[in-house]
Amino acid sequence: MANVLQYLIRSAERFPDKCAVTDDVCSYTYAEFCHLTRAIGSGLLPLTRPRQAVGVYLPKNAQAVAAFFGIQWAGCFYSVLNTELPGNRLRQIAQTLAPAVIVTCEALLPQAKEIFPDCPLVCLETLAGQAVDAEALASVQARAIDTDPIYVNFTSGSTGVPKGIVVCSRSVTDFIDCFTALFSITEQDVIANQAPFDFDVSVKDIYSAMKVGATLAVVPRELFSAPVQLMDFLCEKQATTLIWAVSALCLITGFHALDYKTPESLQKILFSGEVMPLRALKEFRKHLPDVCYVNLYGPTEITCNCTYHILEKDRDYASGIPIGIPFPN
């Protein structure tokens, strides 16, 4: 299989009863999650052709992750239409993307109809209820190649016009294979996802978890304005790995949330997006001295990151944190 579906299939075979994806409402074992994604893919087959774009207008939750894989089962690529963006910007993105269909949910269907009046819509609930057409899915996957697109992320639109960055399957597998190996991410990990799904930091969360059979815990977006509940969530889920934007980590230190409760299960904190303030780094190191801290750098176009620096425990970094060395390849 020439795409990231191989990650999900192998992990479902190895760990069928292990939690694959969870949020604040529901959880799926690997067997359940794999079946759900195949049902979604089967439901999309009559609505799409291979290598077409499919928009995803869903809340940030475990079911949205299932939609991403279902879209790939159908041989298509996804682009997240962030529900928090203004309607005008979403219409601009949809006009550029020209999706074959937009996947939404029953709760958001009226809103989606208003924002995307010219786009075909389908509810995730409808797709999830489809029977799995194993033969049709296998036929589509037999024609897949590793340079097929997997997702399109749209830039912030600093010029006024959002531009889509297309990333192919080989780029993701090449990166994730070495990313998980370098930072010892295994089936024992619980990766707490902070990044919105239209931000490529989330790619590391989703596909690292699926690659190794770890658990992906999707942190509800509203918790990032409620630091106490955020700490409760991380402790409840026994999170081991944070691959977060610096701004999200600074929210924790800015509200002194680690003084309320420290997630002792954390083993790895990888950060990117901007320069890590030394004050915030020191606060984390004070509460979590044995955690492995990693500075990551890279633009969306390079597939998440191109350099990394593993912080040294006895170094104060008063002169700044290095951008690091290149990832393999």
Side-chain angles (χ1 to χ4, degrees), residues 68-87:
F68 303 157
F69 283 89
I71 289 163
Q72 292 174 75
W73 274 115
C76 298
F77 60 96
Y78 63 88
S79 188
V80 175
L81 302 164
N82 191 323
T83 58
E84 298 188 359
L85 292 177

Side-chain angles (χ1 to χ4, degrees), residues 37-321:
T37 64
R38 285 164 58 82
I40 293 169
S42 299
L44 284 170
L45 286 175
L47 307 176
T48 60
R49 297 191 310 276
R51 302 181 182 90
Q52 283 188 311
V54 174
V56 178
Y57 186 72
L58 290 169
K60 180 177 180 278
N61 57 23
Q63 293 177 328
V65 181
F68 303 157
F69 283 89
I71 289 163
Q72 292 174 75
W73 274 115
C76 298
F77 60 96
Y78 63 88
S79 188
V80 175
L81 302 164
N82 191 323
T83 58
E84 298 188 359
L85 292 177
N88 285 341
R89 177 170 166 79
L90 288 171
R91 277 188 286 272
Q92 275 188 311
I93 291 173
Q95 187 175 12
T96 301
L97 185 67
V101 65
I102 293 175
V103 178
T104 186
C105 60
E106 291 172 0
L108 291 176
L109 185 58
Q111 196 172 315
K113 286 180 177 178
E114 184 177 340
I115 296 173
F116 311 108
D118 302 321
C119 293
L121 302 171
V122 63
C123 285
L124 186 67
E125 292 89 344
T126 301
L127 297 174
Q130 299 298 306
V132 173
D133 190 337
E135 185 177 343
L137 294 178
S139 176
V140 168
Q141 291 304 313
R143 300 194 300 274
I145 58 175
D146 62 5
T147 51
D148 286 340
I150 176 172
Y151 64 82
V152 173
N153 275 349
F154 279 81
T155 64
S156 57
S158 56
T159 62
V161 181
K163 294 179 291 296
I165 307 302
V166 185
V167 175
C168 75
S169 291
R170 189 196 300 178
S171 293
V172 173
T173 55
D174 181 82
F175 176 72
I176 293 297
D177 285 355
C178 64
F179 185 83
T180 51
L182 279 169
F183 306 122
S184 302
I185 298 172
T186 73
E187 71 273 12
Q188 302 297 323
D189 279 299
V190 177
I191 302 173
N193 156 255
Q194 167 265 320
F197 291 149
D198 59 340
F199 185 28
D200 70 350
V201 174
S202 66
V203 169
K204 291 174 280 191
D205 298 327
I206 294 167
Y207 297 109
S208 292
M210 297 300 107
K211 156 78 177 174
V212 301
T215 296
L216 176 69
V218 181
V219 184
R221 191 154 175 77
E222 58 269 20
L223 294 193
F224 290 95
S225 56
V228 167
Q229 289 89 336
L230 176 58
M231 292 299 101
D232 288 339
F233 182 91
L234 295 179
C235 291
E236 177 195 337
K237 298 296 184 181
Q238 290 289 290
T240 65
T241 305
L242 307 183
I243 310 169
W244 285 18
V246 168
S247 56
L249 294 172
C250 288
L251 181 143
I252 290 175
T253 57
F255 282 98
H256 305 286
L258 293 172
D259 292 333
Y260 158 70
K261 188 180 286 185
T262 302
E264 302 289 350
S265 56
L266 285 176
Q267 300 168 8
K268 297 176 277 283
I269 297 178
L270 299 85
F271 51 86
S272 60
E274 55 197 286
V275 175
M276 168 65 85
L278 288 182
R279 180 181 296 182
L281 176 62
K282 288 177 180 177
E283 184 75 4
F284 269 98
R285 285 175 133 185
K286 182 179 79 174
H287 287 86
L288 294 161
D290 297 323
V291 162
C292 174
Y293 296 91
V294 183
N295 185 31
L296 302 169
Y297 169 77
T300 300
E301 291 84 349
I302 203 69
T303 311
C304 301
N305 300 125
C306 52
T307 68
Y308 70 96
H309 172 75
I310 300 173
L311 275 66
E312 301 161 31
K313 285 191 176 182
D314 299 326
R315 187 169 166 184
D316 65 9
Y317 292 99
S319 59
I321 302 172

